[in-house]
Amino acid sequence: MQINPNKDTQLCMSLSGRPGNFGLRFHNHLYEQLGLNFYYKAFSSQDLPGAVGGIRALGIRGCGVSMPFKEACIALVDELDPSAAAIQSINTIVNTNGHLKAYNTDYIAIAQLLQSHAVPKDSTFALRGSGGMAKAVASALRDGGYKNGLIVARNETAGRALAESLGYEWQAELGSRQPQMLINVTPIGMTGGPEADQLAFEPGTIAAAETVFDVVAIPSETPLIVRARSEGKRVITGLEVIAIQALEQFVLYTGVRPNLEQFEKAVAFARSA
């Protein structure tokens, strides 16, 4: 990749507990292809207020926000877009002359994927997780007309609050229930984590499902997705989520919307690392 930064180059970045290369390669590829004077870098931090303060102080144009910072960043920005305010979870910060406005492009991506994969709206579902990304997924499900849902979360306070806010049930464990759609919004199956080789749901539960959706993007083929494919299930992957949400972030940062061919080439390039 040819990078020719100068004093006017606009910096964009990401904050994640476990930084990956997808966003960095996706954004920088599009900057080069579209002739934009931007550069993107991935970071992690143990000092979140300091990191967000640096975005403002250094004039960094945009920041993608990933687990575990999606809720903690809210108090550190100046304004919430309705996409973030409605679910109290952010994944994007845009800096305009020191004013930090936060958005949630995860919600947009999930809504698009449920529609493009033609997941029946009368599907029963179980969503494992209760954090910021779980809020985005559950809200997109509710707004998309999926009414029969269960939030599975060991954190009773967060799990009950999420379920009750959206009109769903809560349980600490799934138990013997066999919903038609399974959704993992936890780090189970994520590369580098303590549960990287584990399934987010029991094999029998996967076998009984029709649709399996894993929000984990690294690796793109998690143990859950591999098992679901082997069972012939409809699958939605975390790679699909991060590709669409990254596209929407790119538009917010630059004001430029790539065409479909440019988008697909950027996704292919980002995956090739």
Side-chain angles (χ1 to χ4, degrees):
M1 181 184 300
Q2 184 67 40
I3 301 295
N4 295 298
N6 55 51
K7 65 181 180 63
D8 297 318
T9 300
Q10 290 281 289
L11 179 64
C12 292
M13 60 177 279
S14 63
L15 278 173
S16 173
R18 296 175 188 163
N21 285 323
F22 183 92
L24 183 152
R25 290 174 63 84
F26 178 90
H27 286 272
N28 283 328
H29 178 81
L30 284 174
Y31 298 154
E32 181 183 12
Q33 295 305 304
L34 297 173
L36 301 175
N37 192 13
F38 280 74
Y39 183 71
Y40 190 100
K41 179 73 172 69
F43 293 95
S44 189
S45 178
Q46 299 299 315
D47 179 6
L48 188 61
V52 176
I55 295 170
R56 191 195 312 273
L58 297 174
I60 294 169
R61 172 57 177 165
C63 177
V65 180
S66 298
M67 292 189 292
F69 304 127
K70 291 173 181 284
E71 295 167 292
C73 275
I74 290 175
L76 304 174
V77 301
D78 302 310
E79 182 182 356
L80 295 181
D81 181 76
S83 63
I87 58 179
Q88 288 297 294
S89 174
I90 71 176
N91 81 324
T92 305
I93 299 171
V94 177
N95 179 8
T96 304
N97 299 320
H99 180 86
L100 303 185
K101 184 173 181 179
Y103 300 77
N104 195 306
T105 64
D106 289 328
Y107 174 96
I108 297 169
I110 293 152
Q112 288 184 22
L113 288 166
L114 290 169
Q115 183 175 15
S116 65
H117 283 274
V119 180
K121 293 184 184 295
D122 61 356
S123 298
T124 58
F125 73 84
L127 183 154
R128 183 178 294 278
S130 59
M133 187 63 169
K135 289 181 179 180
V137 176
S139 296
L141 286 161
R142 188 272 313 272
D143 295 345
Y146 297 85
K147 297 179 180 179
N148 194 351
L150 172 68
I151 304 300
V152 180
R154 294 178 183 176
N155 183 325
E156 180 173 357
T157 301
R160 279 190 183 277
L162 176 58
E164 291 174 1
S165 70
L166 297 172
Y168 295 134
E169 299 178 68
W170 165 84
Q171 288 182 186
E173 297 292 345
L174 182 58
S176 61
R177 296 174 70 159
Q178 294 187 326
Q180 294 164 305
M181 176 162 53
L182 303 173
I183 309 160
N184 177 45
V185 198
T186 75
I188 297 173
M190 182 180 291
T191 297
E195 302 168 297
D197 298 325
Q198 296 184 23
L199 290 170
F201 296 95
E202 294 296 322
T205 306
I206 299 168
E210 298 172 1
T211 303
V212 174
F213 182 2
D214 197 343
V215 175
V216 172
I218 304 171
S220 59
E221 295 289 311
T222 64
L224 177 59
I225 292 297
V226 170
R227 184 63 178 247
R229 287 196 196 280
S230 74
E231 298 274 2
K233 307 303 178 181
R234 175 193 293 112
V235 300
I236 305 173
T237 70
L239 175 65
E240 295 174 89
V241 176
I242 65 169
I244 296 173
Q245 68 83 22
L247 172 65
E248 299 302 325
Q249 288 177 329
F250 182 90
V251 175
L252 287 170
Y253 300 156
T254 67
V256 177
R257 181 171 292 278
N259 62 36
L260 179 60
E261 181 182 4
Q262 291 165 337
F263 168 65
E264 290 177 343
K265 286 183 176 179
V267 172
F269 179 80
R271 289 191 65 186
S272 66

